[in-house]
Amino acid sequence: MNRYTQDRATRPKPTQNSAKFASALLQEEGLLYEVGHANTSGVDLEVLTDQPDRLGSLARTTPTGLVGLSEPETLRHYVRLSQRNYAIDLGLYPLGSCTMKHNPRLNEKLARLAGFADIHPLQPVSTVQGALGLMDQVSYWLLQITGMDAVALSPKAGAHGEMCGMMCIRAAIEEKGELEQRKRVLVPTSAHGTNPATAAACGFVIDEIPANAGGRVDMAAFRAKLGPDIAAIMLTNPNTCGLFETDIKEIADLVHEHGGYFYCDGANLNAIMGKCRVRDLGVDAMHINLHKTFSTPHGGGGPGAGPTVLSSRLARFAPLAFVTGDRATGFALAEHPEQSEAAFGRMCAFHGQMGMFVRALTYMMSHGGNGLRQVSEDAVLNANYLLARLQHEFSPAFAGTCMHEALFDDRFLQGTGVSTLDFSKALIDEGYHPMTMYFPLVVHGAMLVEPTETESLHSLDQFADTMLELAKAAKSGDVTRFTQAPLTAPMRRLDETQAARNPVLTWKP
Ligand SMILES: *Cc1c(COP(=O)(O)O)cnc(C)c1O
């Protein structure tokens, strides 16, 4: 018996709503090790004889323990698994803070051009002038959009970009000989978990700033924390409550006055690009998630890229490798410490995620400057449309309009016996990936909904109708629909805590 079949018989019947998401044609799927065999191979090769032994005593004497599959078996295994995935190409994906927007196929087409896709990082630079030129163009656009002085392209994710920015800040503090005394990094309680993790990994001590009743930095508490031991503040804007930090300029000025640096988490650039310049906010370092704002596939669909823009105070510390030169004289890569004495080191072996650079530049150039501004406007408009449609049945966490994501708490579920978790699971039966839940931590039973600008009015309405119907069902006492959910997914409720704490990463026969 397969793991997926165990509770089929005892599973409650799907509701009428979920019937449209039939799973009848989906076959059960085992692990590769359950499907394949050690003596199967996808290719037929003659056993070689009379070949000189070039491995000597290094030759393996025991089987690898790996299984083989034929080509159709392999394909079917992965295609079946892919059908068990929810994807942005299947429907609205309201995962707040993650910016799951449509990935234009033009990006994909250009990323697959052989001149970009088939080159190797160790090729002589004279043979990859076009690729280096493209990286130079990506840098140009990111600096135009943010108004900043330099950009490090190599970080391979948002959190990696945070690490890059904080390493630059650390290097600047070290150069001034203040590393011993500047140990504290201020992080608002609403911050993404990666912010305090990054600061801690860079050797700093985290000091939390509480949020005020409006969901923004509590300025009195912030002022009280300032002192000569401040290394930096890590602030997200718009913050993870979906709100613009209205005191951001004052916060930057005060941190600077106390000799600290301002790290801005720019994962949410989606909401402000073309509307306000990051430089004018007093930012010293900020990562930009290409995979969020500039629509490169992520979340199981592809790698990330987190270029980090820097102010003139930090530019010198940017990591190797980076592109130098120009089209007229030829591009080159600065790769060696003597080419940049202040560089704090490297973030990765080569120069970053080439495929993501191609996709992001395609996105930027196909939108143009005014198109990128409209992306921000439409992202904010769509989130506010959902907020307006949902606010009477749900309980918005904060009064007023939002930026690119709408945040609700669980007051509307009070007394229903339905929790945020149950509600999210019920959404799966309706054909939607759940919204981000229980984050940010400052809001009780949080539900963070980010529709992005790529959803049509029709799709927003369809989602809002589903959400409203679910809220009414919860309030009318239809509790089992929630506590039993998901009824239609291949797996029901998983012990996610156990899975995270005790992951089973090896297969045993
Ligand atoms: C997504 C996100 C990050 C981390 O980005 P990764 O690419 O997942 O490492 C950091 N901060 C915020 C606010 C985010 O939304």
Side-chain angles (χ1 to χ4, degrees):
M1 190 172 78
N2 186 295
R3 292 173 306 134
Y4 297 127
T5 53
Q6 56 207 8
D7 65 350
R8 266 244 158 132
T10 56
R11 192 179 287 184
K13 284 268 172 294
T15 63
Q16 202 187 344
N17 281 317
S18 52
K20 57 183 184 270
F21 300 102
S23 56
L25 282 174
L26 282 182
Q27 297 189 12
E28 309 298 349
E29 190 59 27
L31 299 172
L32 260 184
Y33 283 87
E34 293 163 337
V35 183
H37 302 280
N39 52 5
T40 305
S41 169
V43 287
D44 254 340
L45 294 175
E46 276 176 47
V47 178
L48 293 177
T49 52
D50 300 333
Q51 287 296 310
D53 177 4
R54 289 192 284 174
L55 289 175
S57 62
L58 296 174
R60 172 182 279 282
T61 52
T62 51
T64 59
L66 296 175
V67 296
L69 283 86
S70 68
E71 186 172 304
E73 281 175 319
T74 312
L75 263 176
R76 283 178 187 160
H77 176 73
Y78 286 108
V79 172
R80 282 179 198 153
L81 287 183
S82 76
Q83 290 182 323
R84 298 203 177 283
N85 257 339
Y86 192 73
I88 188 65
D89 294 343
L90 281 172
L92 185 145
Y93 205 142
L95 200 57
S97 206
C98 295
T99 313
M100 307 302 287
K101 64 166 75 171
H102 170 67
N103 307 122
R105 289 314 186 255
L106 183 61
N107 301 357
E108 298 306 315
K109 188 174 175 183
L110 295 200
R112 282 163 177 71
L113 289 177
F116 293 127
D118 293 348
I119 52 177
H120 192 278
L122 292 177
Q123 262 176 251
V125 291
S126 63
T127 65
V128 289
Q129 285 295 304
L132 296 177
L134 179 131
M135 289 169 65
D136 187 60
Q137 280 283 302
V138 173
S139 302
Y140 171 80
W141 276 80
L142 295 178
L143 294 179
Q144 284 294 310
I145 291 167
T146 58
M148 299 292 279
D149 294 289
V151 57
L153 286 186
S154 62
K156 293 190 169 186
H160 209 207
E162 288 174 34
M163 177 70 106
C164 176
M166 290 307 285
M167 295 289 278
C168 288
I169 289 173
R170 200 189 135 99
I173 293 174
E174 192 169 17
E175 194 183 64
K176 290 186 203 155
E178 296 180 348
L179 204 51
E180 282 312 305
Q181 85 214 42
R182 292 196 182 273
K183 280 269 170 239
R184 218 152 37 95
V185 171
L186 304 181
V187 183
T189 40
S190 64
H192 197 269
T194 50
N195 291 186
T198 298
C202 291
F204 294 110
V205 177
I206 287 93
D207 194 0
E208 279 200 335
I209 321 170
N212 63 20
R216 298 180 173 87
V217 169
D218 182 326
M219 287 302 282
F222 162 70
R223 277 199 197 88
K225 289 188 182 292
L226 291 166
D229 61 334
I230 295 287
I233 185 169
M234 294 186 84
L235 186 68
T236 309
N237 190 45
N239 67 23
T240 58
C241 297
L243 303 171
F244 194 90
E245 289 284 358
T246 39
D247 293 318
I248 190 163
K249 192 71 187 74
E250 192 183 346
I251 292 172
D253 289 345
L254 284 170
V255 168
H256 288 151
E257 268 169 39
H258 286 80
Y261 293 85
F262 177 14
Y263 187 92
C264 189
D265 182 330
N268 300 336
L269 193 65
N270 206 35
I272 56 170
M273 71 179 155
K275 302 299 288 185
C276 78
R277 281 203 321 168
V278 172
R279 177 198 198 93
D280 300 337
L281 303 179
V283 171
D284 290 303
M286 182 184 86
H287 71 270
I288 300 168
N289 286 18
L290 298 186
H291 47 295
K292 292 179 181 170
T293 305
F294 300 108
S295 78
T296 62
H298 60 292
T308 304
V309 289
L310 302 166
S311 68
S312 57
R313 308 203 302 154
L314 296 179
R316 290 187 305 121
F317 304 104
L320 299 163
F322 51 83
V323 177
T324 61
D326 55 37
R327 201 165 293 281
T329 58
F331 293 105
L333 264 184
E335 293 190 276
H336 304 289
E338 58 274 18
Q339 289 172 283
S340 173
E341 270 169 24
F344 71 74
R346 269 179 182 273
M347 296 301 295
C348 56
F350 298 111
H351 38 60
Q353 306 279 32
M354 190 65 204
M356 300 317 236
F357 300 154
V358 182
R359 289 173 174 89
L361 185 64
T362 307
Y363 182 85
M364 293 189 254
M365 293 184 79
S366 55
H367 280 74
N370 52 0
L372 293 180
R373 183 183 313 123
Q374 194 185 336
V375 163
S376 298
E377 289 168 355
D378 290 351
V380 173
L381 181 64
N382 280 3
N384 278 287
Y385 182 75
L386 281 184
L387 178 61
R389 280 217 56 196
L390 300 181
Q391 64 185 347
H392 301 299
E393 287 294 334
F394 287 72
S395 39
F398 301 103
T401 55
C402 61
M403 293 294 285
H404 61 304
E405 49 196 359
L407 179 60
F408 304 95
D409 58 27
D410 60 0
R411 276 173 299 157
F412 78 103
L413 292 174
Q414 226 162 47
T416 60
V418 174
S419 67
T420 290
L421 180 74
D422 301 327
F423 195 92
S424 302
K425 297 293 182 194
L427 207 48
I428 294 175
D429 285 329
E430 303 307 316
Y432 287 107
H433 192 286
M435 70 290 275
T436 292
M437 52 177 185
Y438 299 107
F439 175 80
L441 305 175
V442 288
V443 167
H444 197 271
M447 299 184 182
L448 185 61
V449 179
E450 179 179 8
T452 83
E453 74 285 357
T454 57
E455 294 305 324
S456 66
L457 183 58
H458 171 72
S459 119
L460 292 175
D461 275 330
Q462 207 175 24
F463 177 67
D465 290 344
T466 305
M467 290 281 278
L468 290 170
E469 197 266 325
L470 279 177
K472 284 180 186 139
K475 290 176 191 178
S476 69
D478 190 359
V479 182
T480 48
R481 175 168 170 195
F482 295 89
T483 52
Q484 296 279 305
L487 302 171
T488 52
M491 301 293 273
R492 302 283 301 283
R493 297 245 181 152
L494 305 173
D495 188 340
E496 284 155 18
T497 313
Q498 270 298 320
R501 295 280 148 81
N502 278 319
V504 181
L505 301 176
T506 50
W507 177 82
K508 293 198 186 69

